[in-house]
């Protein structure tokens, strides 16, 4: 979908909307929600209307949110809670709010990667999910528990239902459909639906999450082949596999672990290969102690400088008997600010050189998943280098590598 670029607006219009959504404007006049990066959403405005006019006017739909996962659902919740006259609609293929790809998995072994005590939907109430889960799911739930992701999806749906019960029910619409295009219309923006009809709104928010990965440039690999699944979360992606076949997973991150768990649940008896450029496996969660926030506006604005800063903090924590996970977790509240503080060339450098190492330390495995075997692939796995691109096999014992500090 092409980006609609609105002309710059006078500075006096900016504050009317920024406090409302917590949005920041980039150089392309596109508003981004920093607290949801890298799964953020963009807000597009029509020409000739100030931000204040857009949000204080009352057409049939003031804000149309395309995508009803976490980002889309929680944006709708915040808009309904913070305004009294704004009409909001969410357009999503599912009828269940908040699920998206992340929280719609039917498998109970697909667990959250963050403990329940830190998964509250509202920053001021981090234990809101924990309290809800104890009442509606499991009374014995602990702050360090890692429940199934589907449970969190139900919680997000309850957050929206709770908001509608308190305020905004007559100002909200959930539309189960699919968006096909976004176009300008006189005085509005139009989103074309699957059947060709249009929905018009003053502002359109794209909360579609991550796009499917592109097909790797591998000789002989054809995206149309029935032997190749481009997107791991494609419905029934694993159904066509014979139980004693052979599977190659490209990448060794959390999604790869999810696929391995799903294959095991289907009594898959074949061989699972995992090909990774870095050969890194996500670290596991452990009990942590609080560590003070050490990043501020005067901290380095380079990838190298940030890594040095984090390593220095890890060394300082180790001297006090505190695990490196505490240092990494202390950056959670300011991760989006750190990312935005980096110049574009440094962001690219981070993605090119440091992202995979950051991911395995920041996005960790729930203990229940990590403890099932020494390696996510099972006890009979080994790491074999192939042109400096490690491949993981199931047949021999893994040689465990000590965890690297970020």
């Amino acid at each position: 979908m092409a980006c609609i670029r609105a002309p710059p607006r006078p500075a006096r219009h900016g504050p009317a909307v920024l406090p409302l959504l917590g949005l920041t404007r980039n150089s392309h006049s596109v508003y981004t929600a920093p607290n949801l990066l890298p799964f953020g959403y963009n807000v597009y405005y029509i020409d000739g209307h100030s931000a204040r006019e857009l949000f204080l006017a009352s057409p049939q739909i003031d804000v149309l949110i395309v995508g009803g996962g976490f980002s889309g659902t929680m944006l709708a919740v915040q808009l309904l809670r913070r305004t009294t006259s704004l009409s909001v609609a969410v357009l999503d293929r599912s009828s269940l709010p908040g699920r998206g790809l992340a929280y719609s998995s039917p498998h109970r072994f697909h667990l959250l990667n963050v403990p329940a005590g830190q998964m509250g939907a509202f920053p001021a109430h981090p234990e809101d999910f924990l309290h809800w889960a104890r009442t509606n799911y499991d009374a014995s739930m602990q702050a360090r528990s890692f429940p199934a992701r589907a449970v969190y999806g139900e919680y997000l749906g309850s957050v929206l239902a709770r908001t509608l019960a308190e305020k905004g029910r007559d100002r909200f619409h959930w539309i189960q459909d699919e968006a096909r295009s976004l176009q300008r219309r006189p005085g509005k923006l139009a989103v074309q639906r699957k059947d060709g009809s249009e929905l018009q709104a003053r502002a359109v928010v794209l909360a579609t999450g991550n796009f499917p990965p592109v097909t790797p440039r591998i000789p002989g690999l054809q995206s149309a082949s029935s032997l190749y699944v481009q997107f791991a979360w494609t419905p029934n992606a694993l159904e066509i596999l014979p139980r004693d076949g052979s599977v190659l997973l490209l990448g060794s991150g959390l999604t790869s672990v999810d696929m391995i768990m799903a294959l095991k649940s289907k009594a898959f008896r074949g061989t699972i290969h995992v090909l990774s450029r870095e050969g890194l496996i996500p670290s596991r969660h452990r009990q942590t102690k609080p560590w003070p926030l050490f990043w501020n506006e005067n901290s380095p604005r380079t990838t190298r400088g940030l890594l040095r800063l984090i390593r220095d903090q890890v060394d300082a924590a180790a001297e006090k008997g505190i695990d490196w996970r505490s240092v990494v977790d202390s950056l959670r509240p300011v991760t989006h600010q750190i990312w935005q503080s980096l110049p574009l060339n440094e962001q690219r450098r981070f993605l090119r050189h440091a992202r995979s190492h950051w991911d395995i330390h920041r996005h960790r495995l729930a203990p229940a998943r990590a403890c099932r075997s020494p390696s996510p692939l099972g006890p009979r796995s080994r790491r074999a280098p192939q042109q400096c691109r490690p491949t993981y096999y199931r047949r021999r014992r893994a040689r465990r590598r000590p965890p690297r500090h970020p």
Side-chain angles (χ1 to χ4, degrees), residues 33-182:
N35 60 318
L36 295 176
L37 286 172
F39 307 103
Y41 43 76
N42 294 328
V43 183
Y44 301 89
Y45 298 101
I46 58 177
D47 295 336
H49 290 267
S50 70
R52 187 174 184 84
E53 292 170 337
L54 286 171
F55 283 89
L56 296 184
S58 297
Q60 185 174 2
I61 299 178
D62 288 314
V63 181
L64 175 61
I65 305 170
V66 180
F70 176 90
S71 299
T73 298
M74 287 309 301
L75 174 60
V77 167
Q78 294 289 356
L79 289 174
L80 294 171
R81 285 173 174 260
R82 299 188 186 192
T83 65
T84 58
S85 60
L86 200 68
S87 60
V88 180
V90 175
L91 177 65
D92 192 84
R93 284 177 290 188
S94 172
S95 62
L96 301 175
R99 272 59 168 186
L101 285 175
Y103 306 117
S104 60
S105 172
H107 301 300
R108 308 303 291 183
F109 51 77
H110 281 167
L111 308 179
L112 291 176
N113 297 312
V114 176
Q118 302 176 22
M119 286 295 291
F122 304 99
H125 304 284
E127 293 191 345
D128 185 63
F129 169 62
L130 177 61
H131 298 324
W132 177 91
R134 286 174 174 172
T135 303
N136 298 276
Y137 177 66
D138 183 357
S140 64
M141 181 78 66
Q142 301 296 317
R144 295 297 304 173
S145 299
F146 293 81
R149 295 174 206 166
V151 176
Y152 192 74
E154 296 177 14
Y155 161 71
L156 293 176
S158 74
V159 170
L160 178 60
R162 189 193 321 165
T163 300
L164 296 178
E166 297 172 356
K167 59 176 66 176
R169 184 179 297 276
D170 58 338
R171 298 184 287 120
F172 178 76
H173 300 278
W174 185 277
I175 305 170
Q176 186 178 1
D177 208 329
E178 183 176 327
R180 290 300 181 90
S181 67
L182 174 63

Side-chain angles (χ1 to χ4, degrees), residues 105-398:
S105 172
H107 301 300
R108 308 303 291 183
F109 51 77
H110 281 167
L111 308 179
L112 291 176
N113 297 312
V114 176
Q118 302 176 22
M119 286 295 291
F122 304 99
H125 304 284
E127 293 191 345
D128 185 63
F129 169 62
L130 177 61
H131 298 324
W132 177 91
R134 286 174 174 172
T135 303
N136 298 276
Y137 177 66
D138 183 357
S140 64
M141 181 78 66
Q142 301 296 317
R144 295 297 304 173
S145 299
F146 293 81
R149 295 174 206 166
V151 176
Y152 192 74
E154 296 177 14
Y155 161 71
L156 293 176
S158 74
V159 170
L160 178 60
R162 189 193 321 165
T163 300
L164 296 178
E166 297 172 356
K167 59 176 66 176
R169 184 179 297 276
D170 58 338
R171 298 184 287 120
F172 178 76
H173 300 278
W174 185 277
I175 305 170
Q176 186 178 1
D177 208 329
E178 183 176 327
R180 290 300 181 90
S181 67
L182 174 63
Q183 299 177 350
R184 297 182 186 274
R185 293 288 184 267
K188 294 182 180 179
L189 291 171
V191 173
Q192 186 181 46
R193 302 164 70 175
K194 188 175 182 179
D195 61 2
S197 62
E198 290 185 350
L199 292 171
Q200 297 188 355
R202 291 292 186 92
V204 174
V205 181
L206 302 184
T208 53
N210 284 347
F211 291 105
V214 298
T215 300
R217 297 180 179 178
I218 299 177
L221 180 61
Q222 299 179 358
S223 58
S225 172
S226 60
L227 300 177
Y228 172 66
V229 179
Q230 180 182 11
F231 191 39
W233 300 111
T234 300
N236 302 321
L238 304 180
E239 299 299 330
I240 63 174
L241 298 175
R243 289 190 176 184
D244 56 351
S246 181
V247 178
L248 171 63
L249 302 177
L250 302 181
S252 60
L254 293 175
T255 300
S256 180
V257 176
D258 286 340
M259 293 299 103
I260 293 170
M261 300 293 288
L263 285 169
K264 287 186 174 183
S265 72
K266 296 180 180 296
F268 181 75
R269 299 188 299 267
T271 304
I272 303 175
H273 309 269
V274 181
L275 179 65
S276 169
R277 287 178 293 185
E278 301 290 343
L280 301 175
I281 297 176
S283 302
R284 58 167 293 181
H285 274 283
R286 289 180 182 174
Q287 185 72 33
T288 59
K289 298 180 180 179
W291 186 257
L293 177 62
F294 54 90
W295 183 90
N296 55 51
E297 295 181 354
N298 297 321
S299 296
R301 297 294 188 268
T302 64
T303 298
R304 186 186 297 272
L306 285 173
L307 291 178
R308 185 180 298 112
L309 174 64
I310 295 174
R311 288 193 178 104
D312 290 343
Q313 292 291 315
V314 168
D315 291 339
E319 293 178 357
K320 299 181 179 181
I322 298 178
D323 189 73
W324 59 264
R325 293 167 178 80
S326 298
V327 176
V328 174
D329 290 348
S330 71
L331 297 176
R332 280 176 58 90
V334 294
T335 301
H336 63 279
Q337 298 178 32
I338 297 175
W339 180 253
Q340 289 186 325
S341 73
L342 297 178
L344 181 59
N345 64 317
E346 288 297 329
Q347 291 180 351
R348 291 172 175 169
R349 183 171 288 110
F350 173 86
L351 294 175
R352 186 167 58 250
H353 298 293
R355 177 180 177 178
S356 57
H357 293 272
W358 169 255
D359 283 348
I360 67 169
H361 292 87
R362 171 62 181 83
H363 306 292
R364 305 191 290 271
L365 287 171
R369 301 169 68 194
C371 289
R372 292 189 178 184
S373 62
S375 163
L377 296 176
R380 298 188 305 161
S381 62
R382 70 179 177 89
R383 180 178 297 132
Q386 181 179 0
Q387 297 181 351
C388 298
R389 295 172 183 263
T391 306
Y392 295 82
Y393 296 94
R394 295 182 65 239
R395 295 193 177 279
R396 294 184 183 176
R397 184 178 300 276

